[in-house]
Amino acid sequence: MNFLIITPTYNENANISTLISKIRDVDTEVNLDILIIDDASPDGTASTIKKIMQNDSGLHLIEREGKNGLASAYCDGFKWAINNNYDYVIQMDADLSHSPNDVLKFIDKIDAYDIIIGSRYKTGVNVVNWPLRRLILSYFANIYARIFTGMNIYDLTSGYKCINIEALKVIDLDKVKSEGYSFQIEMNFIFSNKGFKLMEVPIIFHDRTVGESKMSKKIIFEAILKVPLFRIKKILGL
């Protein structure tokens, strides 16, 4: 089985070397390649990646002009994975909030399911070092999304997941325009509507200790406004 970890970056030079090293330390027999999509980080993230690539044939880089956003980065990565014949892709943040060792949980379950979600809320609240205000926002955003989508998933906004490439092949990725929270919800909603099987495995999420969060009020309000539209589109068959 060929797995590709896809990680979008913007100003993650302080974290990226550590992340790659931790991924390479994961004890697994499957092929685990890495694709990093960098949006012209001014802090030299791409240069650091290129140096590591000299000794790592399984590390790949897409450099994009300007800051184009999380959703388009992942969609570009999905297309690259399809074109390069990978079997599965894994979404992973670059800020070390996702433990690479949890990849083993995905690998263990992916034969029986199409999408495995690394869930912060499946077994309670498994979040470390988040400000209380952000934790409350995330927790209730997921309740809100679960009500409107009708999906029995506790962490619809999780950015850590494993996806069977066959699920991505049937989606028109050029039509996915959401960002942040709503991108994760929209992709899960599309997968579910197309009959793919989703399940959650519990993870512990650690807030970043280096660098700045990319979360913004625009991303939050987009999710609030777009989530009901996903359900409306389903009802109307759009």
Side-chain angles (χ1 to χ4, degrees), residues 159-182:
Y160 196 16
K161 66 183 71 168
C162 182
I163 307 169
N164 189 317
I165 202 74
E166 298 303 321
L168 293 170
K169 288 179 179 178
V170 301
I171 295 176
D172 187 346
L173 295 169
D174 292 326
K175 291 185 177 180
V176 178
K177 302 299 182 183
S178 301
E179 284 294 337
Y181 282 166
S182 57

Side-chain angles (χ1 to χ4, degrees), residues 186-202:
E186 181 176 8
M187 292 298 291
N188 290 330
F189 193 60
I190 293 172
F191 291 139
S192 179
N193 288 344
K194 290 187 177 294
F196 292 104
K197 294 190 294 182
L198 294 80
M199 71 94 64
E200 295 175 277
V201 294

Side-chain angles (χ1 to χ4, degrees), residues 2-233:
N2 294 316
F3 286 77
L4 179 69
I5 293 176
I6 301 176
T7 301
T9 56
Y10 182 77
N11 283 350
E12 294 290 355
N13 198 32
N15 293 314
I16 200 63
S17 297
T18 302
L19 176 65
I20 294 169
S21 178
K22 286 179 177 291
I23 292 172
R24 290 295 174 238
D25 286 340
V26 175
D27 186 12
T28 177
E29 294 181 359
V30 304
N31 184 51
L32 201 60
D33 286 353
I34 306 168
L35 172 64
I36 298 173
I37 299 136
D38 186 68
D39 277 3
S41 296
D43 71 345
T45 300
S47 296
T48 297
I49 296 165
K50 288 176 183 176
K51 291 177 183 177
I52 300 172
M53 286 172 64
Q54 294 174 9
N55 297 302
D56 188 338
S57 61
L59 176 62
H60 309 278
L61 173 67
I62 293 176
E63 293 184 85
R64 306 199 305 173
E65 296 180 0
K67 193 175 181 182
N68 297 306
L70 180 80
S72 65
Y74 271 126
C75 287
D76 283 351
F78 296 155
K79 293 173 187 176
W80 194 92
I82 292 170
N83 291 335
N84 286 276
N85 301 312
Y86 284 90
D87 300 307
Y88 304 96
V89 300
I90 295 173
Q91 295 180 202
M92 184 185 293
D93 288 351
D95 60 6
L96 305 177
S97 58
H98 297 148
S99 170
N101 283 323
D102 286 330
V103 165
L104 298 173
K105 297 180 181 180
F106 297 152
I107 295 171
D108 183 56
K109 300 289 186 182
I110 198 61
D111 280 345
Y113 295 89
D114 301 299
I115 294 90
I116 311 294
I117 298 169
S119 178
R120 298 162 292 183
Y121 307 121
K122 176 67 175 177
T123 56
V125 178
N126 296 316
V127 176
V128 178
N129 291 334
W130 253 7
L132 182 60
R133 182 174 64 177
R134 185 169 179 185
L135 175 59
I136 291 171
L137 173 64
S138 173
Y139 186 79
F140 283 101
N142 276 285
I143 294 175
Y144 173 80
R146 194 159 69 246
I147 291 171
F148 273 102
T149 63
M151 297 178 64
N152 189 29
I153 299 292
Y154 287 87
D155 198 353
L156 283 164
T157 64
S158 173
Y160 196 16
K161 66 183 71 168
C162 182
I163 307 169
N164 189 317
I165 202 74
E166 298 303 321
L168 293 170
K169 288 179 179 178
V170 301
I171 295 176
D172 187 346
L173 295 169
D174 292 326
K175 291 185 177 180
V176 178
K177 302 299 182 183
S178 301
E179 284 294 337
Y181 282 166
S182 57
F183 168 70
Q184 307 296 354
I185 299 167
E186 181 176 8
M187 292 298 291
N188 290 330
F189 193 60
I190 293 172
F191 291 139
S192 179
N193 288 344
K194 290 187 177 294
F196 292 104
K197 294 190 294 182
L198 294 80
M199 71 94 64
E200 295 175 277
V201 294
I203 63 166
I204 297 176
F205 179 95
H206 293 264
D207 192 22
R208 69 160 64 237
T209 57
V210 178
E212 297 181 358
S213 171
K214 310 302 189 298
M215 186 56 61
S216 68
K217 290 182 179 179
K218 177 182 176 182
I219 290 173
I220 295 168
F221 284 118
E222 180 193 37
I224 293 171
L225 294 173
K226 279 199 170 186
V227 168
L229 293 178
F230 300 152
R231 189 62 178 266
I232 292 170
K233 286 181 178 180

